[in-house]
Amino acid sequence: MSLGLMSSDLREELKLTLDLHRQALLLLNLRGFSQSLICPSCGWVPLCPNCDVSLTYHRRENSQLCHHCGHRDLAPRSCPRCGHERMRFLGWGTERLETEVSALFPSAKILRMDRDSVSTRGRRRTIVDAVRNHEVDILLGTQMIAKGLDFPSVRLVGVISADQSLHVPDFRASERTFQLLTQVIGRAGRSDELESEGGGIALIQSYNPQNRVLEAACRQNFESFYRTEIVLRERFGSPPASHLARVVFSGRDKHAVADATMKFGRILESTKPDVEASLLGPAPAVFEKLEGKWRYHCVLKA
């Protein structure tokens, strides 16, 4: 992969698509310009005061936004911890991809579609109509561009950082990644006219192209994905091989929430029904703090 967000192969195919007067979709399922800012001197990262997450940097407003509770701050010019004068970008998002594509193809007509760009009523419909009327050369965005849209002139679909959704702490991560990729790949080469020109093309950028989920998605092979995935689900006792019940406790007092969750866990352990069941936790939730409330959970598997 090149130093930019797009590989040389993707840039070449994008140029060819534009030369053919066809359209392209670019998927990056992360909003903002970068996932966060970071101080290169002391490693400080700005966090949301209400949630246990970093703030996403949005360059256009020079602001930092929490995508969970909506908290917004101005981006700091220097590190408030050590005073280092220049913050750096950590990760990337659709705003940064838009900036890179615009620099590479300054004459192309580019639109971005994500929750930030379609926040006003009717904006999504305006963007969709513009693409269908061929007023747009490149549409880039998050999963919004992957589902339920039919653009006959789309020759190229490019997926940036396909790996990132595979490594979230959820047993459905592989399934959701496979669904998203097969949906967005299906946007390319949908018209008879494109078929006569050789059809559409999809390029998926990955640090692990041999991954079974990505390989099955590239081949649009649901049966191959299912055969492997169902074996893993059964081995680890995940649905549909089992049922899960998750109980979440939340509140302003962290110790009270943790204590209540522990007590509830002990009750579950002492009153489990006469079936094979197991208790996971009690433990902090993946996002331990959201909207000012601490969160703990228990998961019962049976």
Side-chain angles (χ1 to χ4, degrees):
M1 187 177 292
S2 69
L3 293 177
L5 299 185
M6 296 188 297
S7 66
S8 57
D9 288 342
L10 181 53
R11 293 200 307 270
E12 289 173 8
E13 285 294 341
L14 195 51
K15 181 179 184 304
L16 177 58
T17 299
L18 295 174
D19 290 343
L20 293 171
H21 303 289
R22 296 301 184 186
Q23 295 171 299
L25 299 184
L26 299 178
L27 171 69
L28 174 57
N29 205 22
L30 292 166
R31 295 158 56 197
F33 187 84
S34 70
Q35 290 172 268
S36 181
L37 294 174
I38 187 170
C39 173
S41 177
C42 71
W44 178 81
V45 171
L47 300 176
C48 175
N50 306 315
C51 307
D52 186 29
V53 296
S54 59
L55 294 170
T56 301
Y57 175 62
H58 290 254
R59 189 175 192 175
R60 186 164 296 177
E61 300 88 7
N62 192 36
S63 65
Q64 303 176 114
L65 177 65
C66 175
H67 289 166
H68 294 277
C69 72
H71 174 83
R72 186 186 297 269
D73 281 333
L74 284 176
R77 292 185 177 181
S78 59
C79 177
R81 177 193 285 175
C82 71
H84 187 82
E85 293 185 357
R86 189 170 183 178
M87 302 290 286
R88 291 187 179 175
F89 303 124
L90 182 64
W92 47 76
T94 48
E95 265 192 24
R96 183 171 177 181
L97 178 61
E98 182 181 23
T99 300
E100 182 174 314
V101 175
S102 298
L104 288 170
F105 304 100
S107 61
K109 293 170 285 187
I110 302 166
L111 281 181
R112 172 167 55 91
M113 188 159 76
D114 54 27
R115 285 183 60 187
D116 301 312
S117 63
V118 298
S119 56
T120 58
R121 186 174 182 178
R123 177 59 179 165
R124 185 179 186 276
R125 171 52 56 189
T126 301
I127 294 175
V128 170
D129 289 343
V131 178
R132 285 186 176 148
N133 295 333
H134 217 309
E135 298 167 6
V136 176
D137 298 313
I138 303 170
L139 176 65
L140 60 88
T142 57
Q143 60 186 347
M144 282 187 176
I145 70 172
K147 304 175 182 179
L149 300 175
D150 184 11
F151 300 134
S153 291
V154 170
R155 173 187 176 269
L156 172 67
V157 166
V159 180
I160 316 297
S161 190
D163 308 87
Q164 58 94 15
S165 60
L166 284 171
H167 304 298
V168 297
D170 191 321
F171 72 90
R172 296 161 292 191
S174 294
E175 178 183 355
R176 288 173 171 170
T177 300
F178 177 82
Q179 288 176 338
L180 179 62
L181 292 179
T182 52
Q183 286 169 340
V184 74
I185 288 172
R187 302 306 102 197
R190 296 173 67 88
S191 69
D192 294 337
E193 189 175 348
L194 279 171
E195 283 292 332
S196 65
E197 297 175 1
I201 183 171
L203 289 177
I204 298 177
Q205 294 187 175
S206 167
Y207 292 103
N208 182 20
Q210 289 77 36
N211 180 276
R212 63 176 181 85
V213 178
L214 303 185
E215 286 189 337
C218 286
R219 297 194 305 268
Q220 300 278 281
N221 191 333
F222 168 78
E223 290 186 3
S224 172
F225 169 78
Y226 174 81
R227 283 195 302 269
T228 306
E229 184 70 11
I230 196 64
V231 170
L232 294 175
R233 297 284 185 95
E234 290 171 349
R235 180 185 302 169
F236 294 107
S238 300
S242 69
H243 293 287
L244 295 180
R246 178 171 180 251
V247 181
V248 181
F249 288 76
S250 68
R252 302 286 179 182
D253 187 323
K254 179 179 181 180
H255 297 292
V257 173
D259 184 57
T261 314
M262 296 297 176
K263 289 179 180 177
F264 183 73
R266 289 194 291 269
I267 293 172
L268 287 181
E269 284 283 13
S270 63
T271 59
K272 282 193 299 188
D274 295 329
V275 295
E276 185 177 346
S278 60
L279 177 66
L280 307 178
V286 175
F287 295 109
E288 188 176 2
K289 188 181 181 185
L290 283 181
E291 299 180 356
K293 294 183 179 180
W294 296 93
R295 304 166 73 247
Y296 280 69
H297 64 172
C298 295
V299 177
L300 191 64
K301 178 187 293 186

